[in-house]
Amino acid sequence: MSKPNTKITLIETASRLFRLRGYEGISLNDILKEINIPKGSLYHYFPNGKEELAVEAIHHTKDIVLAWIEESFEQIGDPVNAVQDHIRQLAALLRDETEPVGFPIGTIAAEKHSTNEPIRSACQAAFEEWRELYSAKFFEAGYSEKLAKDYGVFILAAIEGGILLTLTTKSEESLLIIADQIPFILAKREN
């Protein structure tokens, strides 16, 4: 059996904990305690400490979400139906109390957007890649470039807001309402 890579374990653990409790809700000691490694190991891989680890954790989370969206979209050709299904899958994931999800990066983005440029920039990059993936689905289906981009922004904002409402109300109803409204909002039309 191979030994787990300490750097990857640090990134994965930080990613999960930041998603659940945000940047300010997690200390380096929380992360170290979770995986039972000495502080020196963390600083070996991340000499700049928590900020550097957080940026890597955001990139890791971005890649997880990208892969999940891509897999979801590969199963359904029609972009409107694909987005609806994607949002319903997210609602089910948030409903599953055995695997707490939290925000992908929303908490960190809200906390650090005005006080930490490297973290803000990493969050921006993640949001942009997710938006581009949503936009590409519509563009590939024949929507104009402008409309596809607009829909990408709308989908990202609706999902992020839906996650916030779902977590706050402890009910996936908001995401399900968003999913139900998608066909009416994302109609194919001329610009």
Side-chain angles (χ1 to χ4, degrees):
M1 181 175 264
S2 66
K3 183 179 174 186
N5 181 309
T6 302
K7 182 176 183 179
I8 292 170
T9 302
L10 279 164
I11 293 169
E12 289 173 346
T13 302
S15 173
R16 182 175 51 78
L17 291 175
F18 287 138
R19 285 193 313 264
L20 292 174
R21 301 197 323 235
Y23 185 85
E24 299 299 337
I26 295 297
S27 70
L28 287 179
N29 288 333
D30 293 329
I31 296 166
L32 296 171
K33 183 179 177 183
E34 182 91 9
I35 57 178
N36 196 27
I37 65 165
K39 197 173 261 189
S41 294
L42 183 138
Y43 285 106
H44 170 74
Y45 294 108
F46 302 100
N48 295 320
K50 186 177 177 182
E51 176 186 281
E52 186 177 5
L53 178 57
V55 168
E56 287 301 314
I58 291 165
H59 291 308
H60 176 74
T61 298
K62 173 197 66 165
D63 292 342
I64 291 170
V65 173
L66 278 171
W68 182 59
I69 296 168
E70 288 171 345
E71 181 181 328
S72 178
F73 280 9
E74 285 174 5
Q75 297 173 14
I76 301 174
D78 177 70
V80 173
N81 292 335
V83 169
Q84 274 190 297
D85 184 66
H86 171 61
I87 294 171
R88 288 182 180 132
Q89 286 180 31
L90 179 58
L93 189 63
L94 289 169
R95 178 179 50 237
D96 181 7
E97 294 181 11
T98 63
E99 182 59 38
V101 177
F103 267 105
I105 61 167
T107 303
I108 295 174
E111 288 175 335
K112 305 310 282 179
H113 74 279
S114 65
T115 60
N116 189 302
E117 184 57 24
I119 290 176
R120 187 211 60 77
S121 180
C123 290
Q124 178 184 354
F127 285 139
E128 285 178 1
E129 286 194 46
W130 297 339
R131 182 206 42 82
E132 287 172 9
L133 194 55
Y134 295 132
S135 296
K137 182 72 172 174
F138 283 87
F139 185 70
E140 290 165 5
Y143 288 65
S144 72
E145 184 176 353
K146 179 174 181 349
L147 194 55
K149 285 181 179 180
D150 290 351
Y151 282 176
V153 170
F154 172 79
I155 294 163
L156 178 61
I159 288 173
E160 291 297 314
I163 291 170
L164 175 63
L165 290 170
T166 295
L167 294 174
T168 303
T169 62
K170 296 186 177 192
S171 167
E172 71 278 6
E173 182 180 11
S174 297
L175 281 168
L176 295 175
I177 289 169
I178 292 167
D180 288 344
Q181 294 304 311
I182 288 296
F184 306 107
I185 297 168
L186 302 183
K188 190 171 183 181
R189 62 181 190 265
E190 295 300 316
N191 292 333

